[in-house]
Amino acid sequence: MSMTAQQFVRKWSKIQLKERTTAQSHFNDICALIGHKTPLELDPKGEFFTFEEGAKKPEGEQGWADAFYRNKFIWEYKGSKNSQSLEKAYQQLLLYKDSLGNPYLLITSDTLTIRIHTNFNNTVKKTHTITLDDISTGSGVELLRRAFNDPESFKPADTPEQVTKASAKQFITVANLLQKEKQKLDPERLAHFIVLLLFFLFAEDLGLLPDKVFTNLVKQNLPLESFRQSLKNLFASMRTGGMFGVTRIPHFNGGLFDDDFVPDELPDIAPSLRDASAQDWSSIDPSIFGTIFEQILDEDKRKRAQLGAHYTSKEDILLVIEPVLMQPLREKWQAIKLQAESMAHADKSKKAQQLLQDFSNEVASIRVLDPACGSGNFLYVALRQLLDLQKEIITLAARLKLTDIPLTVDPQQIYGIEINSYAHELAQITVWIGYLQWRAENGFAEMDEPILKPLHQIENKDAIINMKTGKEPEWPVVDVIVGNPPFLGGKMIRVELSDKYVNKIFAAYKGSVPHEVDLVCYWFEKARRHLEEGKVKRVGLLSTNSIRGGANRKVLEQIQQSGNIFWAQSDRDWVLDGASVNVSMIGFDDGTQKMHELDGVIVSHINPDLTSSTNLTLAKTLGENQGIAFMGVTPLGPFDISEVNAKEWVKLDGKNKKVLKKFVNALDIVRRPSNTWIIDFGTDTTEKEASTYSEPFEYISENVKPFRANARAGDRTGVAWWRHQRPRPEMRNALSGLKRYIVTPGVSKHRIFVWLNEDILADHALFAFARDDDYFFGVLHSKIHELWALRQGTSLEDRPRYTPTTTFESFPFPWSPSHEPKDNPRVQAITEAAKQLDDFRNEWLNPKGGQYDNSEKVLKKHTLTNLYNALALYRAEYKGKMRMPETFKDAVDRIIGLDEIESLDHIHTKLDHAVLDAYGWQHNLSDEQILEKLLILNLERANTQK
């Protein structure tokens, strides 16, 4: 049966909604209006399109929505007497939508008005209102027809991310105007004022601030002083609740409105605020507060970088929150849910009620700490996950017709520590906004006053050291610790932080954290101690992936000794301040968790280097390898000079040659030589002796001496200004008498070893090996040693790091160094392959005549980095596959031909086989088998040396 728009309007303009039967009659008429079958006609069994969803089930549950159309909409009717009835109906649908499959649309009606609310994931929520007038004109009929036949057509184009960016762009204009006040005000007070403005925009769009009171204020074009006073009055109203004009303002409190401060000399921000208020702030991502703050605060670069380090996307944060915080709760919930349903269906409602209430109380008691909380992103995501879980409990209780379970998860469960006062304030507001958004999105919009409460448990202090006492600060007793502590490499700690600070943390963590590890290691150790003391149950922290090796790894080894790593992401790409880094994510506890997951795969165990195979962390330092590998010199100051200067000074006085040397750093190795020279007065030259070298001494007097005078006190202590800060006498003694020696960059994409002549001095970014034989060079450059170095070392982004201690001194050579039989055919095979490798590379790096273009432009591309990039590409994409010389050459920017790269691959394979033969091992061993054998050999050698 069909119905025209006029018939529909005529009928329903006279009927007030009272009974459910009237609601069903109205819905059937909607179907007739748009030419759609009714629920009874289309789905007599009530399986996908029905009234009173839930009431049809044999257990007798009450329905949650008056009409249900699976995967399309749920529809709720309310009486038309109360102006707030449709809003209450919508809140009810928000509460139950998850249990009804989260359809695309949530529709409410009182017969006079119909509201269609969108419910699509990752989109901004939109509402379409249909009145009887809209139905008369036909526009409302078309919207209803789409709701039934094509609900996906309602999907909004804007995502929360897009709205967030648009909102930020508008508000930054306000921030820029207020920055003019930075010279006149305490930056913290100015920052607090700006947070209040942000909160106004959010609270108004969420409906917490009624009658568009803030937007109307900024639209009034008041004189600046009147506008300023009006803002103060509004602040005061929000602090205690009260009237602002004719509008009642709720009591907000929460410490946010402790005073009514507005800058005395307020710039004309009203026009910019009008533009900002046009955006939908109810859907913003709370993390945007941190981004906007960076535009506001006039701090030094370092503080901004530290603040920025904490801005992490919700998706990335969930990678840690889910396995560490939520997984145990979700597992428990699955068991409780089945048990409660079984009890309710067996007429044991009281027991089911108690079971659900107890678990709800447990979820509401979980305390979460982020000890480096920044602007609060980890905390607000953790809070929302706990809220989601409690909502499932509440919904199940309602479905089972049990007594209502209240929503009790709230921000008081969230703990934080943050040293930056600005970020500390941001964290509190971020948590509150995340909480308020969740309530609005899930049917819990109504709140008791005060709406905000102080979050004193988010503390403004240093998390790893109390500078007054020199001791570790107390962390609160919580259930779970999660977070993203600041990324600061060990070499940069003294540069970025004061000597006093560094000395304090060294003393406080003496014996448990090696000196100059990455700063993040102190958070791991502090969390481990907290766990050992029974003050936390589970921990999930992030670090750069350098925590897997070197001295950093000691903190993970200690975690394994006192507890257990149960979950890890060993190496993930990460974007930090626009730059790509590689991070490790690590979850650990006291050993309670028995299931282990590494990189998404269930494993039997996780080693401290975040592998699940051969545990190389058991490897010992071998005395036989000591006294061979050394870090190069650290000049500290502009000792370096050009080749032109060096030659000129030698011409002026031949004596100068003794203190002038070629100087090579890591870039000279992996790129092209820079032909840099350096002034080097050795390890014990006195100032008087140095002054006899006129030109070099005059140069460093003018350049190095003032540089050293301005250096940090710790760098100057005990260092003669005319000598290098660390001239490495042990290295010089070990290299004495050698015509050449081996070096490798400390950090590089490829593990490359090269020869340097005796008269060349190596920079501290290189490690020098006091050996001049091709055999030793060959073993170092073999796959066998490279595998060990990759697993034992750390990494900087995608560049593995090599160290003389953890990497080299633990590596077991085929024979103990200096005890290899030189006439042995296996030694000679390694020697031959090593020479071939060195010859090939030298010819390619410095081509002569024939087919080669020796232009400077071409030579710039002939670097070891490019050569080994080409080798990696060949092995990954071409070796053993279709042979396409021109395609390969184009792929590597025509720096090398396929035939040449095949030769290089052959030489390396020949070298690898020769080294495997020296160990007496088969050529077809897997990488893991090689590492297993090396570890066995390491431990045998270590036991022999005891």
Side-chain angles (χ1 to χ4, degrees):
M1 179 178 177
S2 63
M3 177 178 281
T4 67
Q6 289 71 28
Q7 290 172 330
F8 183 91
V9 170
R10 193 161 46 246
K11 175 179 178 179
W12 290 102
S13 61
K14 299 175 182 178
I15 298 176
Q16 285 190 339
L17 181 61
K18 292 181 180 179
E19 304 293 335
R20 286 191 179 275
T21 54
T22 307
Q24 292 185 11
S25 176
H26 180 269
F27 189 85
N28 284 334
D29 283 353
I30 291 285
C31 294
L33 176 67
I34 64 173
H36 192 284
K37 290 182 178 181
T38 66
L40 187 61
E41 292 169 339
L42 183 63
D43 182 21
K45 295 183 178 180
E47 294 176 343
F48 62 88
F49 186 31
T50 183
F51 293 114
E52 303 296 337
E53 168 62 11
K56 65 185 185 302
K57 295 183 180 178
E59 294 83 6
E61 295 98 326
Q62 292 291 321
W64 305 328
D66 293 323
F68 169 75
Y69 203 159
R70 182 176 297 152
N71 298 329
K72 293 188 177 184
F73 60 73
I74 45 179
W75 191 308
E76 182 70 15
Y77 281 96
K78 290 294 179 184
S80 57
K81 291 183 180 180
N82 188 334
S83 60
Q84 297 296 315
S85 62
L86 289 184
E87 181 59 31
K88 290 182 178 179
Y90 178 55
Q91 295 298 321
Q92 183 175 327
L93 293 182
L94 288 174
L95 183 60
Y96 299 129
K97 64 184 176 66
D98 295 336
S99 295
L100 291 171
N102 261 315
Y104 295 130
L105 304 175
L106 308 178
I107 305 176
T108 61
S109 177
D110 60 5
T111 70
L112 299 178
T113 304
I114 300 170
R115 289 181 184 168
I116 301 174
H117 303 266
T118 63
N119 187 45
F120 295 86
N121 290 330
N122 196 37
T123 64
V124 176
K125 307 302 181 187
K126 299 288 185 182
T127 301
H128 303 268
T129 300
I130 304 171
T131 64
L132 292 178
D133 288 341
D134 295 322
I135 290 176
S136 293
T137 62
S139 61
V141 177
E142 178 57 28
L143 285 173
L144 289 167
R145 188 173 286 117
R146 285 170 52 198
F148 278 73
N149 300 320
D150 187 18
E152 288 189 74
S153 67
F154 284 88
K155 186 174 183 178
D158 294 338
T159 66
E161 181 182 8
Q162 291 169 328
V163 170
T164 297
K165 288 180 178 179
S167 301
K169 185 177 180 181
Q170 292 292 346
F171 193 82
I172 284 171
T173 304
V174 180
N176 288 337
L177 288 170
L178 288 165
Q179 277 186 318
K180 297 176 182 178
E181 299 299 309
K182 63 180 180 287
Q183 302 298 334
K184 307 171 187 175
L185 295 170
D186 176 350
E188 191 168 353
R189 296 203 78 186
L190 180 60
H192 182 81
F193 172 67
I194 293 170
V195 167
L196 295 185
L197 296 180
L198 282 167
F199 186 77
F200 278 145
L201 294 166
F202 166 78
E204 185 175 77
D205 283 350
L206 205 62
L208 298 172
L209 198 58
D211 301 337
K212 289 290 182 182
V213 64
F214 183 66
T215 297
N216 292 334
L217 174 60
V218 298
K219 283 182 176 180
Q220 288 181 30
N221 292 320
L222 296 173
L224 279 178
E225 182 54 35
S226 298
F227 178 62
R228 179 180 174 278
Q229 188 58 49
S230 295
L231 282 177
K232 289 173 67 70
N233 294 340
L234 183 54
F235 289 171
S237 298
M238 296 181 79
R239 182 166 68 251
T240 59
M243 300 302 294
F244 181 76
V246 298
T247 303
R248 182 193 173 278
I249 304 299
H251 179 194
F252 281 86
N253 194 8
L256 193 60
F257 299 95
D258 281 346
D259 61 44
D260 58 1
F261 167 76
V262 179
D264 290 334
E265 298 182 27
L266 187 68
D268 188 9
I269 58 174
S272 297
L273 281 173
R274 282 199 295 272
D275 293 338
S277 66
Q279 301 295 324
D280 180 9
W281 286 83
S282 65
S283 300
I284 64 165
D285 181 345
S287 67
I288 197 64
F289 281 81
T291 303
I292 292 174
F293 238 62
E294 287 194 326
Q295 302 291 324
I296 298 166
L297 300 177
D298 186 31
E299 294 190 278
D300 63 80
K301 231 176 186 181
R302 183 176 64 218
K303 286 186 179 179
R304 283 202 304 272
Q306 289 173 349
L307 186 63
H310 301 304
Y311 306 146
T312 312
S313 74
K314 178 181 178 182
E315 291 71 23
D316 287 335
I317 292 170
L318 284 173
L319 291 174
V320 178
I321 295 291
E322 275 298 319
V324 176
L325 169 64
M326 298 307 299
Q327 184 176 336
L329 292 171
R330 294 197 198 286
E331 289 176 354
K332 188 171 184 178
W333 169 232
Q334 291 305 314
I336 287 174
K337 181 166 60 173
L338 293 174
Q339 192 176 356
E341 288 174 338
S342 177
M343 288 175 174
H345 298 158
D347 294 328
K348 297 179 180 178
S349 294
K350 287 186 178 180
K351 289 186 177 180
Q353 178 79 43
Q354 192 62 53
L355 185 66
L356 293 181
Q357 185 63 65
D358 288 347
F359 186 61
S360 180
N361 293 343
E362 179 181 340
V363 174
S365 71
I366 298 294
R367 293 157 298 176
V368 181
L369 167 67
D370 182 347
C373 67
S375 59
N377 291 359
F378 266 79
L379 295 177
Y380 102 83
V381 172
L383 179 61
R384 287 180 66 102
Q385 295 305 106
L386 291 172
L387 286 163
D388 284 343
L389 181 56
Q390 191 175 48
K391 181 186 173 184
E392 290 186 42
I393 304 168
I394 292 169
T395 303
L396 179 62
R399 183 167 69 81
L400 298 177
K401 295 191 298 182
L402 304 176
T403 303
D404 288 347
I405 292 178
L407 181 75
T408 52
V409 170
D410 73 12
Q412 302 299 325
Q413 297 172 235
I414 299 303
Y415 292 71
I417 301 174
E418 174 53 45
I419 191 171
N420 184 290
S421 58
Y422 312 120
H424 167 253
E425 182 159 8
L426 277 178
Q428 297 175 72
I429 199 63
T430 297
V431 168
W432 271 116
I433 285 180
Y435 175 69
L436 295 172
Q437 275 183 330
W438 186 93
R439 291 187 68 115
E441 293 166 1
N442 288 275
F444 297 90
E446 292 186 9
M447 291 184 63
D448 295 332
E449 296 182 18
I451 292 172
L452 308 180
K453 300 175 182 64
L455 299 181
H456 297 307
Q457 74 277 12
I458 298 180
E459 302 177 80
N460 182 200
K461 68 180 185 181
D462 192 310
I464 60 171
I465 191 69
N466 183 322
M467 287 297 288
K468 291 183 179 179
T469 65
K471 297 180 180 179
E472 297 176 50
E474 281 296 317
W475 285 7
V477 177
V478 294
D479 296 285
V480 175
I481 292 173
V482 291
N484 178 12
F487 298 162
L488 187 60
K491 298 297 182 184
M492 297 300 294
I493 290 180
R494 282 200 182 272
V495 176
E496 296 291 335
L497 307 173
S498 69
D499 287 327
K500 182 180 179 181
Y501 184 88
V502 173
N503 292 337
K504 290 266 190 182
I505 60 173
F506 281 3
Y509 295 85
K510 185 178 180 180
S512 58
V513 179
H515 289 186
E516 297 188 5
V517 295
D518 293 352
L519 187 63
V520 71
C521 292
Y522 291 95
W523 270 264
F524 275 82
E525 173 58 17
K526 177 68 176 170
R528 184 199 68 80
R529 295 183 186 184
H530 216 54
L531 186 64
E532 193 172 40
E533 294 166 2
K535 296 178 179 179
V536 67
K537 298 172 184 174
R538 292 162 73 90
V539 180
L541 296 175
L542 270 75
S543 168
T544 56
N545 62 358
S546 60
I547 200 168
R548 302 172 61 192
N552 290 331
R553 192 171 60 214
K554 182 175 180 180
V555 296
L556 299 188
E557 292 172 355
Q558 289 170 171
I559 285 170
Q560 281 290 56
Q561 291 167 8
S562 62
N564 182 42
I565 298 174
F566 63 81
W567 172 85
Q569 291 282 330
S570 62
D571 194 332
R572 287 187 63 89
D573 292 335
W574 196 263
V575 176
L576 176 65
D577 294 338
S580 178
V581 297
N582 290 75
V583 301
S584 296
M585 305 176 182
I586 303 161
F588 55 97
D589 68 353
D590 61 0
T592 301
Q593 175 83 25
K594 301 305 179 185
M595 185 78 74
H596 302 81
E597 181 181 313
L598 176 63
D599 298 330
V601 177
I602 301 300
V603 296
S604 60
H605 65 283
I606 301 175
N607 299 322
D609 61 353
L610 305 188
T611 65
S612 60
S613 49
T614 307
N615 188 1
L616 296 193
T617 64
L618 300 174
K620 309 295 184 182
T621 297
L622 301 176
E624 63 192 35
N625 287 19
Q626 294 179 343
I628 298 174
F630 305 89
M631 179 183 283
V633 301
T634 304
L636 188 63
F639 286 90
D640 52 304
I641 58 174
S642 69
E643 186 177 31
V644 173
N645 272 356
K647 290 182 177 179
E648 182 181 335
W649 291 351
V650 171
K651 283 183 181 179
L652 290 172
D653 187 347
K655 178 183 177 183
N656 288 336
K657 186 175 182 180
K658 185 178 180 182
V659 296
L660 301 176
K661 293 182 180 178
K662 286 185 177 181
F663 189 54
V664 171
N665 61 25
L667 291 180
D668 291 316
I669 301 300
V670 299
R671 297 181 185 174
R672 299 294 298 181
S674 62
N675 296 322
T676 300
W677 287 61
I678 195 165
I679 300 167
D680 175 33
F681 284 112
T683 61
D684 55 7
T685 304
T686 65
E687 184 175 4
K688 182 177 180 180
E689 291 169 339
S691 67
T692 64
Y693 299 88
S694 302
E695 290 78 17
F697 189 78
E698 181 182 355
Y699 180 87
I700 63 170
S701 296
E702 294 176 357
N703 295 279
V704 175
K705 190 173 184 179
F707 179 92
R708 285 285 183 85
N710 293 322
R712 294 179 304 112
D715 288 332
R716 298 196 306 269
T717 304
V719 178
W721 69 265
W722 62 94
R723 295 199 296 260
H724 297 167
Q725 183 197 32
R726 292 186 175 86
R728 311 294 181 192
E730 298 86 357
M731 178 191 74
R732 294 171 190 257
N733 290 335
L735 297 179
S736 177
L738 300 180
K739 295 296 182 182
R740 62 177 184 173
Y741 63 99
I742 305 165
V743 295
T744 191
V747 177
S748 65
K749 184 177 181 180
H750 306 287
R751 183 47 48 207
I752 296 169
F753 297 84
V754 302
W755 291 107
L756 291 184
N757 291 334
E758 59 177 332
D759 57 350
I760 298 176
L761 193 62
D763 174 68
H764 69 280
L766 294 172
F767 292 111
F769 301 84
R771 290 288 293 249
D772 62 355
D773 54 305
D774 291 297
Y775 156 79
F776 202 83
F777 176 88
V779 176
L780 288 179
H781 226 314
S782 69
K783 171 185 176 180
I784 294 81
H785 179 248
E786 182 180 25
L787 288 172
W788 186 268
L790 286 172
R791 282 282 293 274
Q792 285 293 82
T794 62
S795 64
L796 179 63
E797 297 171 9
D798 63 343
R799 293 166 292 153
R801 180 183 281 120
Y802 194 95
T803 65
T805 50
T806 56
T807 306
F808 174 78
E809 290 182 358
S810 63
F811 178 70
F813 281 81
W815 295 274
S816 298
S818 301
H819 291 83
E820 54 273 354
K822 295 182 180 179
D823 294 333
N824 188 296
R826 292 176 291 174
V827 173
Q828 292 174 350
I830 295 172
T831 297
E832 179 186 352
K835 286 180 179 178
Q836 287 181 342
L837 175 61
D838 189 47
D839 289 343
F840 177 93
R841 294 194 317 201
N842 286 332
E843 289 179 10
W844 183 81
L845 288 169
N846 304 289
K848 298 177 182 178
Q851 61 176 315
Y852 295 105
D853 177 356
N854 293 344
S855 67
E856 184 177 349
K857 181 180 179 180
V858 171
L859 285 178
K860 277 186 177 180
K861 298 179 183 178
H862 280 239
T863 68
L864 288 178
T865 294
N866 285 342
L867 178 64
Y868 280 92
N869 282 343
L871 181 61
L873 177 66
Y874 164 73
R875 289 175 168 174
E877 304 292 338
Y878 291 85
K879 187 175 182 179
K881 301 173 184 177
M882 187 177 293
R883 195 174 188 279
M884 297 181 291
E886 286 306 310
T887 302
F888 176 79
K889 202 164 187 178
D890 287 339
V892 297
D893 199 19
R894 308 192 74 78
I895 61 169
I896 192 168
L898 185 57
D899 56 340
E900 292 176 291
I901 209 69
E902 286 172 338
S903 295
L904 177 62
D905 176 65
H906 173 76
I907 293 170
H908 269 289
T909 301
K910 179 180 177 181
L911 175 61
D912 294 342
H913 289 174
V915 174
L916 287 167
D917 289 340
Y919 283 103
W921 300 341
Q922 295 176 328
H923 293 178
N924 61 352
L925 294 177
S926 68
D927 292 352
E928 201 57 44
Q929 288 172 323
I930 291 172
L931 290 171
E932 288 175 2
K933 289 180 174 293
L934 287 172
L935 178 60
I936 292 170
L937 186 55
N938 165 276
L939 296 176
E940 288 176 354
R941 295 264 181 90
N943 290 332
T944 302
Q945 294 169 12
K946 286 183 178 179

